[in-house]
Amino acid sequence: MTRPKPKATTGVPTGRNNPSEISRDHLADLYGRLLTIRRAEERLQKLFADGEVPGFIHLSIGQEAVSVGVMDALRDADTIASTHRGHGHAIAKGMALEGFFAELLARDEGVCRGRGGSMHVADMKIGMLGANGIVGAGLSIALGSALAHKTRGTNDIAVAFFGDGAQAEGLLHECLNIAALWKLPLLFVCENNGWGEFLPTTKHLAFQLGDLAAAYRVPHTRVDGNDVVAVQAAAHRIVEAMREGAGPMALECVTTRVRGHFEGDAQKYRDPDELAALAALDPVRRVADQLAALGLGAAALEAIDAGVAQKVEAAVAHARTGTDPSFEAACADVYAEGGRA
Amino acid sequence: MTRPKPKATTGVPTGRNNPSEISRDHLADLYGRLLTIRRAEERLQKLFADGEVPGFIHLSIGQEAVSVGVMDALRDADTIASTHRGHGHAIAKGMALEGFFAELLARDEGVCRGRGGSMHVADMKIGMLGANGIVGAGLSIALGSALAHKTRGTNDIAVAFFGDGAQAEGLLHECLNIAALWKLPLLFVCENNGWGEFLPTTKHLAFQLGDLAAAYRVPHTRVDGNDVVAVQAAAHRIVEAMREGAGPMALECVTTRVRGHFEGDAQKYRDPDELAALAALDPVRRVADQLAALGLGAAALEAIDAGVAQKVEAAVAHARTGTDPSFEAACADVYAEGGRA
Amino acid sequence: MAELRYQKAIGRALEDAMTADPTVILFGEDVAEAGGSFGATKGLREKFGAARVFDTPISEAALAGAAVGAAVSGLKPVLEIMFMDFTTLVMDALVNQAAKARFMFGGRCAVPLVLRTPHGGGLGAGPQHSQCLEAWFAHVPGLKVVCPSDPVSAYGLLRAAIDDPNPVIFVENKSLYASKIDAPDELPAFEVGKARIARPGADVTIVTYGGALRTALAAADALAGEGVEAEIVDLLSLQPWDEATVLASLSRTHRLVVMHEAVEAFGVGAEIAARMADIGFDELDGPIVRVGAPFMPIPFSKPLERAYMPSVENLVAAVRRTLA
Amino acid sequence: MAELRYQKAIGRALEDAMTADPTVILFGEDVAEAGGSFGATKGLREKFGAARVFDTPISEAALAGAAVGAAVSGLKPVLEIMFMDFTTLVMDALVNQAAKARFMFGGRCAVPLVLRTPHGGGLGAGPQHSQCLEAWFAHVPGLKVVCPSDPVSAYGLLRAAIDDPNPVIFVENKSLYASKIDAPDELPAFEVGKARIARPGADVTIVTYGGALRTALAAADALAGEGVEAEIVDLLSLQPWDEATVLASLSRTHRLVVMHEAVEAFGVGAEIAARMADIGFDELDGPIVRVGAPFMPIPFSKPLERAYMPSVENLVAAVRRTLA
Ligand SMILES: Cc1ncc(C[n+]2csc(CCOP(=O)(O)OP(=O)(O)O)c2C)c(N)n1
Ligand SMILES: Cc1ncc(C[n+]2csc(CCOP(=O)(O)OP(=O)(O)O)c2C)c(N)n1
Ligand SMILES: [Mg+2]
Ligand SMILES: [Mg+2]
């Protein structure tokens, strides 16, 4: 009987967050995309507080670099399955802000015609297979999508996003095993923000993803998920290998949940010091600083921000003038028609 | 990105099958118990062929050393949750042959009054929480039983038996994680017979249990499951540690499925050489040979066998004279009565 | 007399049950430190300690199976599943294990577990956080299902459920959590399987349960304005359900409407209606009309959700139809 | 004309569908190399190759989720779940994902998947390998449920299910696998949602489906001997079900009995009965009587199982009761 030695926790790889790895234009582009998610969610925060968004919403503020970094390596035909915290994934995959805000405001012009809301934003045309209200469910949906890519003989890949808390669900194991067994083009992206609702994930989990993935020989990479350069670099390397048939891979992004589990969660259960430290880890600010260091002036940065803010405001305005969805149309959409799909 | 190196498959530890580790009396006792399961199942085989056993049955012939070896380390208050292939577990845990055969013959005198049959033999009084028709389900039942042991402050342990094929179920992951997280007295016993129904488990699994268990820091031991001395030695060591609070452990027993998935399965899909080699691996014959080498004469061995055969025949005779269960009594047992359990 | 909130009634029932019986344990996602998604379990961790009240990983299937294993090993587990929509993940443990263990093991064990779970719409929580799936469980021999309609019945039925030696699904309608009632200090006992007449009336019987009771009471008020006196039967228990009370009411009124928040088709109301169309046939002077949600997922948008939810108007129209 | 076995009809439907549409794939536990637990998929692996017909690990939840993911990514997956009792493990994928995706994503996708699964008792397979759980799925908006009653309907409905752009639960009654029928070489098309009159008769309507149809036909023969002519409606589809055909028959006979193998309480029959007690009320000249399994798990012992299974005698008694 051998008691396995606890492996040293893989530290967050450093040296990847070297902005010189990518061009300044690329970085500026990433910045714009990070900022789009950030400003969109900040706007949502306000709309929610003002009672314009029904239901409840889980913001990804502080986690934007995961969405932007991973999606930087994807193309439209690649598919992603997302989580309850899926705004960033949707926008980064290419969801238009108009349809996004219209959905959050429950308008007929929304991507889901106001029937899904925050937890179900989806757009099959851009390979966004849906945010999901069921923790872990996206794993198996992405598994099936990867199976479809492989069966159809494309070199598209599927990506399953999941939180660190979701790792306690049995589906993770089933999907890792099947993906490894069948060598499916499935990328497991864990957004490890340290929390599952109101409990640190140290109280959810007795394992590290890296150790688990190793059991199935699924290559695992752990990066600083608040460093978009590191995330995109890892994503590009991984996705390239996967397009060449490397089989499933795992990318763990260590990141920060800034706004609590859902809007309205004051996070009283968290250490105030930990909360205070979040600002220094901000993935958006970090890129702004990098761009400044690369010589992009304050005016240029502000112009990017202003452009984003304007697009966000336009989308909100558009959503607000939208119409209420029709109940009859909703009823008619429970089933697809026709004997041939 | 580091691609983990495939670990060499842990070979079956040898050197454990040294019968001198245990007394001759102990070995003879184990032999009697092995033989009891073997003869009982051989008898069942015939009863089944003769149409006396309804439904379908999964025999554990070739796997008896796992049941006998593990149960050698348990006491009545310890609990086990079993599988569809649970006859050996039940008998080894102490189920009387009378109630066992009466159940298989669907008699009111059966341990489940003829309502459960082969896949549901159970007896709470001896801590046998049930064979189970749902692959993997026993894992979580044992988890709960371990939780009960811990909550009640005993040092009893719970054992989950599961097949190698069952390892693809998500419950394995959930239970390993929770047991490790909560340090529950739960022993995971994998009966690795190389097959899940009609497919070798190499086509089911992309991992080895040892590697998986390591991820949760659950100590894992792999033994020759056809060597009862090795199994009982490992079980005693493990159970002793667990009674002292060591938390969950895993014991993988490499074994052989001799009679096919269920009775009637001709195993045409298996390599004839592999099938032919099974006899040499027989866990019962092996102990007989060891006892002979230790000086137990043929007559003594035969006496053990005769004693077992007689008990089996008596149990069958008893079962045959049993009565059909009452439908009214069955109806009345869907719910327990009383506001206080 | 003191004001009692539904959510507090749940907490008090748990507290009293745990005080009375040291084998009762409580677990689920965020029930301990956070006190539950709807605040019902606040303070219990502090009172009973981490060995009896604890948070869990997000592993619903294993937790439900563990509840079964704990129940056959001497404990009385109370498991919370955060939304009834997530019971999709625990069906095996409930249906193949908990419900059948006693029967299939020859009547030689009991499975005293309670699964608490909230159902119902109205919060804009969307299609995967609002479903009413109680009809599934009512179809499973071996399970019991209860659904209280106010704080007093919530307390009484939760005590009864925990005392029950069988697996009980305890369904909490989300819209009720904040509801209050004036309640005696000594709360009355309730029995699983017994309905009550929530409002007497001679002209039509309305059978309902859970959050829909309030809709039914409002409809009865509206109908009274038209001179129609509706008798309302609050089922409280769905499996077993109180056939005798429903039949007795029908025998007085000769008209029957069944109403619930769950989808109408293949819902709990179908069983009530079907049964009365058999044993109550001779009493019926008009069609049995059901009111439930339409056959569609629960939409996110507030106007859509409002249109989706069975309403006072729907119920009044149904009553008028059977009286016509 | 040639003899067609139910089990072969399933295989032929799969073969023809896969030939007609290269996006159809087939997977499940032991469906490929072994050809399926009941032999229905024999030869398909050889014909269509390992990329379209493949065996899987024992991971039902992931497989069902994967079917959803594959369906929204351009394939038409046909998944086999070995026994309907194991659908307890795939409820989330079916109910929260497959059933809702089209609706909750704004009608902008379809989920063309088929889940084939056998139900029913009579084999001594015991409480966890015999259940009829179709009522659960019929309660879920977004799912369709069909249950053929013979080889010809099995073929036609499986083709229709695979062609359907929605998730369809295709239920195979185990007792039918070995049944045969003389069938035309060109098998007729069937439509999801349409019932058929399996036997015309003027005195009472018996609504049934799946394996119970044979029991109903036998009961009709017995009743004919007493001078009672029963009309039998074979539902074929349970969701949607053919309300118009049932109502039309009831309007001719004025008596209704609903029969199925599933547990009576909260079963499919409850919906049929409840609906007819509403829209068919004026046509009814007697109580609506249901015949289904008693409220208990399915026992292992043959005599117990026989007593459990709804029988010709039960049905004849039910008909007599509504005619009394
Ligand atoms: C199956 C299921 N169980 C529980 C929940 C409730 N729930 C929503 S989010 C969440 C925590 C998820 O944690 P994690 O996966 O780390 O994601 P994060 O919220 O941190 O992004 C829980 C328990 C759910 N939606 N689905
Ligand atoms: C949840 C579930 N899925 C599938 C089955 C059908 N089934 C019964 S045994 C078995 C194979 C199990 O293999 P393994 O765990 O290795 O046990 P062994 O038969 O080898 O003892 C399968 C697939 C089942 N009973 N339950
Ligand atoms: Mg998290
Ligand atoms: Mg095996």
Side-chain angles (χ1 to χ4, degrees), chain A residues 62-132:
Chain A
Q63 307 189 179
E64 298 90 342
V66 180
S67 294
V68 171
V70 171
M71 255 54 93
D72 198 54
L74 303 188
R75 54 195 188 204
D76 276 5
D78 295 322
T79 45
I80 67 169
S82 167
T83 68
H84 58 289
R85 202 178 297 286
H87 303 160
H89 306 145
I91 296 173
K93 192 72 171 68
M95 185 172 286
L97 289 180
E98 284 73 17
F100 172 79
F101 275 105
E103 186 59 30
L104 270 284
L105 267 61
R107 301 293 194 241
D108 199 40
E109 291 75 12
V111 284
C112 304
R113 302 193 66 183
R115 299 175 201 156
S118 167
M119 264 189 299
H120 304 288
V121 286
D123 187 350
M124 303 293 146
K125 285 194 308 297
I126 55 168
M128 164 54 175
L129 306 184
N132 211 309

Side-chain angles (χ1 to χ4, degrees), chain A residues 79 103 108-117 119-125 128-135 137-138 140-149 151-152 171 174-175 177-178 181-182 329-341, chain D residues 20-21 25 27 51-52 54-76 92-93 96-97 99 101-112 140-144 159-160 162-167 239-240:
Chain A
T79 45
E103 186 59 30
D108 199 40
E109 291 75 12
V111 284
C112 304
R113 302 193 66 183
R115 299 175 201 156
M119 264 189 299
H120 304 288
V121 286
D123 187 350
M124 303 293 146
K125 285 194 308 297
M128 164 54 175
L129 306 184
N132 211 309
I134 306 298
V135 166
S140 61
I141 292 174
L143 180 76
S145 194
L147 174 66
H149 295 321
T151 305
R152 300 163 78 203
L171 268 182
E174 296 189 2
C175 293
N177 179 50
I178 295 176
L181 194 68
W182 297 346
C331 291
D333 265 343
V334 178
Y335 293 95
E337 295 221 354
R340 301 259 162 198
Chain D
D21 184 345
I25 61 168
F27 60 101
R52 292 182 66 196
F54 44 95
D55 290 315
T56 70
I58 314 173
S59 309
E60 290 82 3
L63 297 174
V68 179
V72 296
S73 301
L75 298 184
K76 291 190 175 181
D92 193 72
N96 286 329
Q97 315 299 335
R102 177 180 175 76
F103 176 88
M104 78 184 165
F105 298 155
R108 288 175 177 134
C109 69
V111 187
V140 179
L143 297 182
K144 294 188 178 182
R159 292 299 307 269
I162 296 173
D163 277 352
D164 202 290
N166 299 289
Q239 183 57 265

Side-chain angles (χ1 to χ4, degrees), chain B residues 63 84-85 163-166 191-197 201 257:
Chain B
Q63 307 189 180
H84 58 289
R85 202 177 297 288
D164 45 338
E191 294 186 271
N192 185 348
N193 61 15
W195 291 87
E197 290 207 352
T201 39
R257 194 192 72 184

Side-chain angles (χ1 to χ4, degrees), chain C residues 276-296:
Chain C
M276 289 304 133
D278 183 349
I279 60 171
F281 184 73
D282 290 340
E283 301 294 346
L284 286 168
D285 287 345
I288 304 177
V289 183
R290 287 176 298 157
V291 178
F295 202 62
M296 67 198 292

